[in-house]
């Protein structure tokens, strides 16, 4: 099973993803690590990424999923349906978990976050680009990360 924890910046993808991977005793990947230097520079300047900017990044994540031998958790925004379709590799049992929250909470979290290149100035463009998934477990970020992880484990009969 591959779990992709998805949502906009500030939703808690990395926090939830790390906690889930620890509970499942599997590897965790933060897709932010796979962005090109050019993409990171753009985001640092508050410039939203385009589909063409994201294409090589998505290919890298897809390759990771294709080659991964077992269970893994990946934090990845996966904002658009076409991105999720591209990452949903047949035979890999890819499960999307959407961390949903309102703009005020997300902005506060991003304002409190230190040392990350994707700041609050990118949130509006991410929310505009977001195509909320129909085929995902949707969880509210008002819950604590611990509660969110427990809900995931229950939903997939893993805990």
């Amino acid at each position: 099973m591959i779990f992709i924890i998805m949502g906009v910046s500030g939703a808690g993808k990395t926090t939830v993803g790390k906690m889930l991977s620890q509970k499942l005793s599997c590897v965790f990947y933060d897709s932010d690590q796979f962005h090109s230097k050019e993409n990171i520079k753009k985001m640092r300047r508050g410039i939203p990424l385009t589909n063409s900017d994201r294409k090589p990044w998505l290919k890298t994540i897809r390759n990771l999923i294709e080659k991964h031998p077992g269970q893994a958790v990946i934090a990845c925004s996966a904002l658009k349906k076409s991105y999720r379709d591209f990452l949903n590799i047949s035979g890999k049992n890819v499960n999307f978990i959407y961390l949903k929250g309102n703009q005020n909470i997300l902005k506060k979290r991003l304002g409190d976050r230190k040392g990350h290149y994707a700041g609050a100035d990118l949130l509006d463009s991410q929310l505009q680009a977001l195509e909320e998934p129909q085929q995902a477990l949707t969880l509210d970020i008002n819950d604590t990360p611990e509660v969110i992880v427990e809900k995931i484990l229950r939903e997939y009969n893993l805990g």
Side-chain angles (χ1 to χ4, degrees):
M1 233 184 249
I2 304 288
F3 293 97
I4 297 180
I5 312 297
M6 61 156 294
V8 298
S9 292
K13 298 181 297 289
T14 300
T15 300
V16 169
K18 285 180 179 177
M19 290 175 70
L20 180 61
S21 72
Q22 288 173 348
K23 289 278 189 181
L24 297 175
S25 299
C26 70
V27 67
F28 170 75
Y29 298 100
D30 188 339
S31 67
D32 285 345
Q33 298 173 335
F34 302 114
H35 275 296
S36 68
K37 289 179 184 177
E38 294 79 20
N39 283 1
I40 291 170
K41 285 179 186 175
K42 281 181 91 168
M43 289 186 281
R44 278 206 170 133
R45 293 192 317 258
I47 301 169
L49 299 180
T50 64
N51 287 338
S52 60
D53 291 330
R54 287 188 176 100
K55 193 172 187 177
W57 173 70
L58 287 165
K59 282 183 180 178
T60 301
I61 297 164
R62 181 182 169 93
N63 289 338
L64 175 74
I65 294 168
E66 285 176 334
K67 294 178 179 159
H68 200 277
Q71 199 166 49
V73 178
I74 303 169
C76 177
S77 56
L79 296 176
K80 296 186 178 191
K81 182 181 184 309
S82 62
Y83 303 167
R84 294 187 295 274
D85 290 346
F86 184 69
L87 297 174
N88 194 8
I89 300 165
S90 178
K92 280 296 190 173
N93 196 7
V94 178
N95 299 279
F96 290 91
I97 299 160
Y98 171 42
L99 301 183
K100 182 176 181 172
N102 78 45
Q103 190 169 7
N104 293 332
I105 293 170
L106 293 163
K107 277 191 178 182
K108 174 160 181 7
R109 287 183 177 188
L110 290 170
D112 293 343
R113 183 160 76 173
K114 305 292 182 233
H116 196 281
Y117 54 78
D121 49 352
L122 291 173
L123 181 60
D124 289 339
S125 67
Q126 285 201 334
L127 288 169
Q128 287 174 355
L130 176 65
E131 297 170 358
E132 290 195 343
Q134 303 302 310
Q135 303 296 319
L137 173 62
T138 300
L139 298 171
D140 191 329
I141 66 168
N142 284 317
D143 286 333
T144 65
E146 293 81 8
V147 168
I148 291 171
V149 169
E150 287 304 316
K151 286 181 177 182
I152 294 167
L153 294 172
R154 272 198 312 274
E155 178 69 23
Y156 292 96
N157 295 314
L158 298 169

